[in-house]
Amino acid sequence: MKIIYSSIFGGVEIKNQKLIAKPFQNENEFVDVLHDYCKERKKFVFISNREQNKIKKPKEKDEVFNDYFYSNKKYFKVLKKCFSLSSLDFEKYVLVDENYKGNLKEEIATASIVYVQGGHTIRGLDFINKIKLKDCLAGYKKLLFLHSTATKILGGKKSVLSTLHGDIKNYQLDDGLGLKNYTIRPHFNSEILKGNDSKNKNRLKLIKKLSKNILVFGVSGKSFIVDDDGMLEYFGECYSIFNEDIKKI
């Protein structure tokens, strides 16, 4: 299985509670690599981050996951346009959320790409466990695209870290799918390394603590990592973090 771990490269933009389709950016040759791994364009399977019927308008503004105002169908429609604007069109598109009624294992077996949406880490992990994504990926040989917080999910026991907006006392560690012996920290940038504010200081402490038990790869905003059947290749600003030691790759 080929895997792309990315933080963000354009795509769906949210502005004034509207979803806007943007082509992916080719910084660090991202679009070129995506084209190379998506030569077959038969089926695009999209795994949602959420169960839509549970999404409610928050009582207080959430600084990151204020996503109650759009449907899964609407997001998927705009995402498809982002791929099309990047000259990536597929013959068939499948949305997997709580309304999906098909056989997901069979669906994925014939997919050219499986895209797992980023968003709220705990919520997304809960959903992919409900649909038994780990079992469905068994034997899959094509491309798995993990976006933003979805990049965290493939590690093992207690490897999925949610820093919950940088509160040192309020964080969560969950089990990943156990498919890799490492985990990813998306949006890992120079601001977190500098730790100039309390939230980033707390995030860095929690990431270092996690690295005592598992190798962590930090991926900055416009960088990405490719795992091609176990062979890792790094594009742009990436870091390895293990036993609290941080090294730029």
Side-chain angles (χ1 to χ4, degrees):
M1 178 167 62
K2 284 69 173 170
I3 306 165
I4 291 179
Y5 302 98
S6 77
S7 286
I8 188 166
F9 273 92
V12 181
E13 182 179 301
I14 299 176
K15 188 174 182 180
N16 298 323
Q17 295 195 350
K18 291 184 178 180
L19 302 179
I20 303 168
K22 298 282 187 178
F24 293 111
Q25 300 166 15
N26 200 32
E27 192 161 339
N28 296 312
E29 301 180 350
F30 178 71
V31 177
D32 295 337
V33 171
L34 195 54
H35 274 258
D36 189 46
Y37 280 92
C38 271
K39 290 179 179 177
E40 179 186 279
R41 311 265 177 90
K42 293 181 180 179
K43 187 197 294 184
F44 183 111
V45 174
F46 173 80
I47 309 293
S48 175
N49 175 263
R50 65 187 190 172
E51 294 178 83
Q52 189 175 311
N53 57 15
K54 294 183 179 179
I55 301 299
K56 297 179 181 179
K57 184 176 181 179
K59 293 180 181 179
E60 297 180 3
K61 185 177 180 180
D62 188 302
E63 63 181 278
V64 179
F65 303 113
N66 192 15
D67 60 357
Y68 64 91
F69 59 90
Y70 58 81
S71 68
N72 290 334
K73 285 184 178 180
K74 177 63 177 177
Y75 187 94
F76 187 36
K77 181 180 179 180
V78 177
L79 180 66
K80 287 190 290 183
K81 188 174 181 181
C82 296
F83 273 82
S84 183
L85 289 171
S86 305
S87 300
L88 287 160
D89 294 289
F90 297 81
E91 296 174 15
K92 183 179 180 181
Y93 296 87
V94 179
L95 166 62
V96 179
D97 63 3
E98 73 269 32
N99 296 313
Y100 176 76
K101 302 300 181 184
N103 184 315
L104 185 57
K105 187 170 181 61
E106 292 181 3
E107 198 84 79
I108 287 177
T110 56
S112 303
I113 179 173
V114 176
Y115 182 107
V116 184
Q117 182 186 17
H120 194 286
T121 305
I122 300 166
R123 184 180 70 191
L125 187 59
D126 179 61
F127 181 67
I128 66 169
N129 282 327
K130 283 185 177 180
I131 63 175
K132 299 181 179 178
L133 182 61
K134 179 181 178 179
D135 294 339
C136 295
L137 288 173
Y140 181 60
K141 300 297 184 183
K142 300 294 176 59
L143 179 63
L144 176 65
F145 188 124
L146 301 175
H147 175 248
S148 188
T149 56
T151 59
K152 304 176 186 180
I153 67 173
L154 297 188
K157 190 174 180 63
K158 300 297 181 185
S159 66
V160 183
L161 172 65
S162 301
T163 55
L164 302 175
H165 308 309
D167 185 339
I168 195 66
K169 295 181 179 180
N170 184 24
Y171 68 94
Q172 187 164 324
L173 274 174
D174 292 289
D175 295 343
L177 300 188
L179 297 178
K180 293 294 175 180
N181 60 358
Y182 60 80
T183 189
I184 305 292
R185 186 68 195 183
H187 312 293
F188 188 89
N189 54 33
S190 58
E191 293 305 310
I192 291 177
L193 283 171
K194 291 175 185 176
N196 289 333
D197 59 56
S198 61
K199 290 184 178 181
N200 283 330
K201 282 182 181 178
N202 292 338
R203 289 187 178 104
L204 190 57
K205 286 179 182 178
L206 292 169
I207 293 166
K208 283 184 174 182
K209 184 178 179 180
L210 175 64
S211 76
K212 291 181 179 181
N213 300 314
I214 189 171
L215 173 62
V216 181
F217 290 111
V219 182
S220 70
K222 294 182 180 180
S223 301
F224 62 102
I225 295 175
V226 173
D227 184 331
D228 189 341
D229 291 327
M231 297 293 292
L232 298 178
E233 192 171 0
Y234 312 93
F235 297 82
E237 185 182 351
C238 300
Y239 300 84
S240 67
I241 309 140
F242 186 66
N243 201 21
E244 298 191 322
D245 183 32
I246 301 174
K247 294 180 179 178
K248 190 172 183 179
I249 299 172

